[in-house]
Amino acid sequence: MVKINQVLLSAGVHGNEKTGIYLVKKFKNNQKLISRNSFATKTLLINNKAIELNTRYYEVDLNRCFDLETINSDYKENKLHEQLLAQKIYQQVKEAKIDFVLDFHTSTSNMGLTLMLSNDRPFNLRLAAYLVAINPLVKIVRSNNLQYNNRFRHIFPLGFTVEMGAIAPNVIDPIWFEQVEILVEQILDYIEQSNHNKQPLSPEIVPIYSMSEAIYFPTDSQGDIAGIVSTQLHGNDYFALHPNEIIFNKFDGKKVIYDGTTTVYPIFINEAAYWENKIAMYLTTKEEKIITSVLK
Amino acid sequence: MVKINQVLLSAGVHGNEKTGIYLVKKFKNNQKLISRNSFATKTLLINNKAIELNTRYYEVDLNRCFDLETINSDYKENKLHEQLLAQKIYQQVKEAKIDFVLDFHTSTSNMGLTLMLSNDRPFNLRLAAYLVAINPLVKIVRSNNLQYNNRFRHIFPLGFTVEMGAIAPNVIDPIWFEQVEILVEQILDYIEQSNHNKQPLSPEIVPIYSMSEAIYFPTDSQGDIAGIVSTQLHGNDYFALHPNEIIFNKFDGKKVIYDGTTTVYPIFINEAAYWENKIAMYLTTKEEKIITSVLK
């Protein structure tokens, strides 16, 4: 049976995602909201330089720097602000012996309250399934692809990245702020009950969306974006996209069709932060995951 | 009777407001969409350096640089990128003898299709009133306060800034993209008919929202933001705010009340670009403006 002693509530891995940042600031100044008997809850703002600048990052995206090579303190190539910060934060987290993380992010896509699993351990899956059952805004995403395993959440034994939205950068959205406060309460209460050997029951099956591939905007001969996401897709994250349906409408009047052979579920549709890489969305496959009922 | 010979469709005064930028690019490559018999239509992307960087501006907000002092070519103090650009663009516009501008912007606030008047000339007001009558998304705003008269639109005899939203920066929103294309067609057709002495009729009365003052976020002793816009206000731009209604919920649990004595109509609520100045919204007063029926 898992015993959780240290929980971390973090934000500001991206400095312009203010809704999560001010939620963590609120928790820091109102400790009774996050206190439970059986474990300690810490708060942390990660990239203070980017927070001050109101930008996603200063030199490079911090949430792509938590790969094993970069965070290894023997690795001497790290020179950029965020690479050095990733090493420092990794050491802090190890020393603090954090068991479980909730790392708050916002997305300009209609992601609701998306929980991105740090890994597939049974505790994570049971908690995720429980939250899907009690909170209609919650969706569960995992990234099986190793190239995505460089996020802050990956340095913790348990926990999630929380992606809430649609929220524009540098906006505190009061409606999502309230919803994520409710989510945090649900999660902390679950951990508390679990630590007291009263883990709430989870459904036996939960839908999990696995990220498969990035879809890039169509471009012209100069490399500039040559079309936009179809009106049917925009704002409809987690809806089914079937073979031969339209993905992009090009400015020259032509259409780009989804040429896959299976139904997929696009997420992060028109995420502004992915603009610089010309990523228009990620495709996911939906799996009805069976949750083990054995507590471990 | 006004005769309009040159129309300008511009975007990229702010480099990260991509929906307008790609609309103008589409028009540039599909001239037949914007061609009319009685006038010429030009397209222009303004701050190409900021567009390339995907940022609002490079050194200073360009849309605060079109005051008479800065754009006067004898003024030698201009050293920042956007101040020099404002001088250059002003000269271009004068030489091209542009009569009418549509300058496209996006807002993270729920602004619909807001037309911000370059001035109160009768042609502007009649066209605005006509658009309110035929297009349910259109709202009309003017800034009587001289401190706001430094926007790009102010260097033209006629026209509007178009603020569409809610749209996050660096997102092409396909739904608003379509809506603003419809708006452009309605405006160009109106100008065409007007040039042929067949100006469509306008309603005699139109609601116009006049910007009165900025409302700042509450701050703590360190100057950090100490509360968020109430859930009743967020997303409800142009809705009435009455005396004694809540504006902010502070993180310490206290509330901030609107202490004015008259009903006002907040706009640009939680506009991300105003975060750096800690502006949470602008208040407007609503006037039922009588439109002159005399053509001049």
Side-chain angles (χ1 to χ4, degrees):
Chain A
M1 177 76 198
V2 174
K3 169 75 167 74
I4 288 175
N5 296 306
Q6 301 281 345
V7 169
L8 178 67
L9 307 179
S10 62
V13 165
H14 295 135
N16 57 0
E17 298 181 358
K18 300 298 189 193
T19 301
I21 290 167
Y22 279 83
L23 181 75
V24 167
K25 287 187 181 191
K26 178 177 176 178
F27 286 146
K28 187 183 175 192
N29 295 325
N30 297 274
Q31 292 279 337
K32 68 176 188 300
L33 295 174
I34 54 174
S35 291
R36 298 293 185 277
N37 289 328
S38 68
F39 60 92
T41 311
K42 292 186 163 60
T43 58
L44 189 64
L45 295 178
I46 311 290
N47 194 346
N48 288 297
K49 190 174 181 101
I51 293 171
E52 199 179 310
L53 294 170
N54 302 318
T55 56
R56 183 171 173 89
Y57 56 79
Y58 178 56
E59 292 185 307
V60 65
D61 191 333
L62 176 61
N63 220 21
R64 306 293 180 272
C65 291
F66 290 95
D67 56 286
L68 290 178
E69 190 177 49
T70 307
I71 59 180
N72 185 328
S73 58
D74 293 335
Y75 186 69
K76 300 298 182 200
E77 296 302 302
N78 299 343
K79 286 177 182 157
L80 298 177
H81 172 72
E82 278 81 6
Q83 292 172 330
L84 294 167
L85 185 57
Q87 283 193 337
K88 191 181 134 199
I89 294 280
Y90 175 69
Q91 288 307 321
Q92 274 181 250
V93 162
K94 288 287 145 193
E95 282 159 27
K97 296 184 178 165
I98 305 292
D99 301 302
F100 184 96
V101 68
L102 288 178
D103 184 40
F104 300 106
H105 288 247
T106 60
S107 172
T108 66
S109 309
N110 195 10
M111 296 292 279
L113 292 175
T114 291
L115 305 180
M116 307 195 69
L117 296 163
S118 59
N119 55 58
D120 277 4
R121 289 194 183 136
F123 184 91
N124 270 352
L125 293 177
R126 280 197 305 271
L127 172 53
Y130 168 76
L131 292 167
V132 168
I134 68 163
N135 190 327
L137 298 171
V138 169
K139 303 277 188 204
I140 311 300
V141 171
R142 69 171 165 197
S143 49
N144 293 333
N145 196 325
L146 279 178
Q147 68 164 304
Y148 302 140
N149 282 0
N150 49 13
R151 311 303 207 252
F152 181 56
R153 67 178 174 275
H154 291 120
I155 66 173
F156 298 89
L158 294 168
F160 316 113
T161 300
V162 180
E163 287 280 359
M164 54 185 137
I167 305 177
N170 293 317
V171 167
I172 309 178
D173 183 316
I175 296 158
W176 285 112
F177 195 94
E178 274 188 13
Q179 290 301 329
V180 80
E181 272 194 280
I182 292 168
L183 178 74
V184 169
E185 195 176 341
Q186 291 168 339
I187 293 174
L188 296 181
D189 287 348
Y190 181 97
I191 295 171
E192 175 78 352
Q193 291 174 272
S194 179
N195 276 347
H196 289 300
N197 294 316
K198 294 174 184 166
Q199 193 175 73
L201 291 177
S202 297
E204 289 182 359
I205 292 174
V206 63
I208 296 188
Y209 299 84
S210 292
M211 290 172 77
S212 58
E213 59 171 317
I215 297 293
Y216 294 83
F217 281 103
T219 51
D220 61 21
S221 56
Q222 280 84 51
D224 194 11
I225 282 171
I228 55 181
V229 169
S230 86
T231 52
Q232 284 74 33
L233 278 179
H234 182 80
N236 287 330
D237 301 74
Y238 293 108
F239 281 58
L241 173 68
H242 303 102
N244 299 318
E245 287 182 346
I246 299 166
I247 307 185
F248 297 108
N249 288 303
K250 292 177 72 178
F251 298 127
D252 63 9
K254 293 177 183 154
K255 295 177 186 311
V256 178
I257 299 294
Y258 167 54
D259 62 0
T261 55
T262 58
T263 296
V264 289
Y265 301 82
I267 64 172
F268 290 117
I269 299 168
N270 271 330
E271 164 55 53
Y274 301 158
W275 177 274
E276 62 184 16
N277 294 320
K278 298 195 175 70
I279 293 173
M281 68 195 76
Y282 281 90
L283 301 186
T284 72
T285 55
K286 187 177 178 180
E287 179 192 359
E288 296 296 334
K289 177 84 178 170
I290 297 168
I291 305 298
T292 169
S293 60
V294 181
L295 300 184
K296 53 183 175 182
Chain B
M1 179 77 198
V2 173
K3 171 72 168 72
I4 289 175
N5 296 305
Q6 301 281 344
V7 168
L8 179 66
L9 306 179
S10 62
V13 164
H14 295 135
N16 57 359
E17 298 181 0
K18 300 297 190 194
T19 302
I21 290 167
Y22 280 82
L23 181 75
V24 166
K25 287 187 182 192
K26 178 177 176 177
F27 286 148
K28 188 183 174 191
N29 295 324
N30 297 272
Q31 292 279 339
K32 68 178 188 300
L33 295 173
I34 53 173
S35 291
R36 297 295 185 276
N37 288 328
S38 68
F39 60 91
T41 311
K42 291 186 164 62
T43 59
L44 190 64
L45 294 178
I46 309 291
N47 194 345
N48 288 296
K49 190 175 183 103
I51 292 171
E52 200 179 311
L53 294 169
N54 301 319
T55 56
R56 184 171 171 88
Y57 55 80
Y58 177 58
E59 291 185 308
V60 66
D61 192 333
L62 177 60
N63 220 20
R64 307 294 181 270
C65 292
F66 290 95
D67 55 286
L68 289 177
E69 192 178 45
T70 307
I71 59 179
N72 185 330
S73 58
D74 293 335
Y75 186 67
K76 302 296 181 199
E77 296 302 302
N78 300 343
K79 285 175 186 159
L80 298 177
H81 171 72
E82 277 81 5
Q83 292 172 330
L84 293 167
L85 184 58
Q87 283 192 336
K88 190 181 133 198
I89 294 280
Y90 175 69
Q91 287 307 319
Q92 275 181 249
V93 161
K94 287 289 144 190
E95 281 159 26
K97 295 185 178 163
I98 306 291
D99 300 302
F100 184 95
V101 69
L102 288 178
D103 185 39
F104 300 105
H105 288 247
T106 61
S107 172
T108 67
S109 310
N110 196 10
M111 296 292 278
L113 292 175
T114 292
L115 305 180
M116 307 195 68
L117 296 164
S118 58
N119 56 56
D120 277 4
R121 290 196 184 135
F123 184 91
N124 271 351
L125 293 176
R126 280 198 304 271
L127 171 52
Y130 168 77
L131 292 167
V132 168
I134 66 163
N135 190 326
L137 298 170
V138 169
K139 303 277 189 202
I140 311 299
V141 171
R142 69 172 165 196
S143 50
N144 294 333
N145 196 325
L146 279 179
Q147 69 164 302
Y148 302 140
N149 283 358
N150 49 12
R151 311 306 206 250
F152 181 55
R153 67 178 175 275
H154 291 123
I155 66 173
F156 297 88
L158 293 168
F160 315 114
T161 300
V162 180
E163 287 280 0
M164 51 185 140
I167 306 177
N170 293 318
V171 167
I172 310 180
D173 183 315
I175 296 158
W176 284 112
F177 195 94
E178 275 189 11
Q179 289 301 328
V180 78
E181 272 195 278
I182 293 167
L183 178 74
V184 169
E185 195 178 339
Q186 291 168 339
I187 292 172
L188 296 181
D189 287 347
Y190 181 96
I191 295 172
E192 175 78 351
Q193 292 176 272
S194 180
N195 277 346
H196 288 302
N197 294 314
K198 292 172 185 169
Q199 192 174 75
L201 289 176
S202 298
E204 289 182 0
I205 292 174
V206 63
I208 295 187
Y209 299 84
S210 292
M211 291 172 77
S212 57
E213 60 171 318
I215 298 292
Y216 293 82
F217 280 102
T219 51
D220 62 20
S221 57
Q222 279 84 51
D224 194 10
I225 283 172
I228 55 180
V229 170
S230 86
T231 51
Q232 285 73 34
L233 276 180
H234 182 80
N236 287 330
D237 302 75
Y238 294 108
F239 281 58
L241 174 68
H242 302 105
N244 299 319
E245 287 180 347
I246 298 166
I247 306 186
F248 297 107
N249 288 303
K250 291 177 72 178
F251 298 127
D252 63 9
K254 293 179 185 155
K255 295 178 186 308
V256 178
I257 299 294
Y258 167 55
D259 62 359
T261 55
T262 56
T263 296
V264 288
Y265 301 82
I267 64 172
F268 289 116
I269 298 167
N270 271 328
E271 163 55 52
Y274 301 158
W275 177 275
E276 63 182 17
N277 294 321
K278 299 194 173 73
I279 292 172
M281 70 195 76
Y282 281 90
L283 302 186
T284 71
T285 55
K286 186 177 179 181
E287 178 191 358
E288 298 294 335
K289 177 82 177 172
I290 297 169
I291 305 298
T292 169
S293 60
V294 181
L295 302 184
K296 52 184 175 180

